[in-house]
């Protein structure tokens, strides 16, 4: 902690790390789980959990040994994904793509070291990849992550590389130079594929959505099981998403 900004509370950071950890789990957690998850002793983990319980963001289960998030977290984020005019345009675009393709369609934004899903339109396909609002995807191995990286300052890419490119699937890019070349292709082509890079049985396609000043706050992606999504299928979906993403970019002032 010696390099921690003196204006930053180390205690608050620990509590937020606990909140992150509890939120990432798909089941209630124990004090021991939290201690391991945030690399702290049990006393610290318990103190942070009690702080979050008191503030209403975490609650004890009936057995008094397990903890989970409360719905107060949703209230905290409601304005981020509220139905304003911009959100309405994005959701309308996603629904149009979903209606045309039958696939579930996602809109994600860059948040620190991950792509975060903030809007979705559910498709009609029975066999699908079911990502949920709030799910986070690594930047170096997902199609949407590569799209968001490709149109950002190169320093963000270098920070991701410096943190390590973890191999999570058969085709994950782990070589820094290969990632740099891949992002250059995304900038040139205007889209990105994930070919068994994030999961061994999934392929995805993503395209950027441009807004005022040519910025790319987010992008649109479609993911599916490899059994249905071969590279030819990705190319067909790309053409559809490209058309709708261009229209949305015009509506949001990113393309004149």
């Amino acid at each position: 902690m010696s390099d921690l900004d003196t204006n930053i509370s180390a205690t608050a950071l620990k509590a937020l790390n606990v909140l992150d950890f509890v939120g990432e789990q798909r089941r209630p957690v124990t004090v021991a789980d939290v201690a391991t998850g945030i690399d702290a002793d049990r006393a610290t983990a318990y103190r942070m959990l009690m702080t979050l319980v008191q503030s209403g963001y975490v609650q004890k289960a009936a057995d008094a040994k397990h903890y989970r998030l409360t719905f107060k977290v949703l209230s905290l984020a409601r304005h981020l994904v509220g139905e304003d005019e911009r959100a309405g345009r994005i959701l309308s675009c996603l629904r149009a793509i979903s209606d045309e393709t039958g696939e579930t369609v996602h809109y994600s934004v860059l948040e620190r070291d991950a792509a975060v899903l903030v809007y979705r339109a559910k498709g009609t396909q029975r066999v699908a990849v079911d990502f949920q609002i709030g799910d986070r995807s690594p930047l170096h191995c997902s199609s949407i992550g590569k799209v968001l990286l490709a149109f950002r300052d190169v320093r963000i890419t270098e920070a991701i590389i410096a943190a390590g490119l973890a191999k999570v699937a058969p085709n994950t890019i782990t070589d820094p130079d290969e990632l740099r070349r891949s992002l250059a292709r995304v900038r040139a082509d205007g889209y990105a594929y994930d070919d068994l890079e994030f999961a061994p049985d999934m392929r995805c396609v993503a395209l950027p959505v441009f807004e005022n000043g040519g910025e790319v706050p987010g992008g649109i992606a479609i993911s599916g099981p490899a059994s249905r999504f071969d590279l030819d299928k990705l190319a067909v979906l790309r053409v559809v998403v490209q058309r709708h993403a261009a229209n949305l970019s015009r509506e949001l002032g990113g393309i004149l």
Side-chain angles (χ1 to χ4, degrees):
M1 288 289 184
S2 59
D3 59 347
L4 189 68
D5 189 317
T6 55
N7 294 309
I8 295 174
S9 166
T11 301
L13 280 178
K14 286 179 183 176
L16 291 171
N17 286 339
V18 171
L19 189 65
D20 284 341
F21 177 80
V22 176
E24 288 168 359
Q25 311 311 304
R26 296 185 179 274
R27 56 176 177 77
V29 298
T30 64
V31 173
D33 293 331
V34 173
T36 300
I38 68 168
D39 192 24
D41 57 69
R42 290 174 64 111
T44 298
Y46 181 75
R47 189 166 61 251
M48 296 301 107
L49 279 169
M50 289 301 97
T51 300
L52 292 169
V53 168
Q54 181 66 32
S55 63
Y57 289 103
V58 168
Q59 69 179 27
K60 285 185 180 182
D63 64 4
K65 296 179 180 179
H66 290 80
Y67 301 82
R68 66 173 180 82
L69 293 187
T70 71
F71 288 105
K72 187 174 181 180
V73 176
L74 294 180
S75 299
L76 188 68
R78 67 187 184 277
H79 296 303
L80 286 176
V81 293
E83 286 274 6
D84 58 12
E85 181 179 354
R86 176 177 172 275
R89 291 180 184 274
I90 293 172
L91 286 167
S92 178
C93 176
L94 300 186
R95 291 172 187 137
I97 296 171
S98 183
D99 288 344
E100 187 169 341
T101 64
E103 303 290 348
T104 297
V105 188
H106 306 129
Y107 177 90
S108 299
V109 299
L110 179 68
E111 185 178 78
R112 303 182 70 177
D113 60 349
V116 180
L117 197 162
V118 292
Y119 302 111
R120 72 196 289 259
K122 192 165 179 61
T124 56
Q125 290 285 351
R126 287 191 173 186
V127 181
V129 175
D130 195 21
F131 288 117
Q132 301 296 317
I133 299 240
D135 281 352
R136 303 171 71 87
S137 301
L139 297 175
H140 70 290
C141 60
S142 61
S143 61
I144 187 61
K146 288 187 287 185
V147 159
L148 295 176
L149 268 184
F151 293 93
R152 286 300 202 285
D153 190 294
V154 68
R155 288 174 292 185
I156 297 178
T157 299
E158 293 306 315
I160 295 298
I161 290 172
L165 305 177
K167 186 176 182 65
V168 296
N171 294 343
T172 302
I173 296 174
T174 59
D175 178 73
D177 286 336
E178 185 180 353
L179 179 61
R180 295 182 185 105
R181 289 192 295 269
S182 177
L183 296 179
R185 287 195 298 273
V186 173
R187 285 190 294 273
D189 296 340
Y191 63 88
Y193 287 159
D194 160 10
D195 180 17
L196 313 182
E197 297 170 50
F198 183 29
D201 56 355
M202 182 178 74
R203 291 190 177 94
C204 318
V205 58
L207 287 95
V209 173
F210 295 90
E211 299 194 27
N212 287 328
E215 297 292 323
V216 180
I220 298 171
I222 299 180
S223 304
S227 59
R228 286 201 303 107
F229 277 42
D230 58 18
L231 294 180
D232 289 338
K233 172 74 170 180
L234 287 185
V236 171
L237 292 172
R238 171 178 57 80
V239 172
V240 176
V241 178
Q242 208 160 26
R243 171 163 40 86
H244 287 280
N247 289 338
L248 179 59
S249 292
R250 278 189 285 271
E251 291 178 3
L252 298 177
I255 297 178
L256 301 178

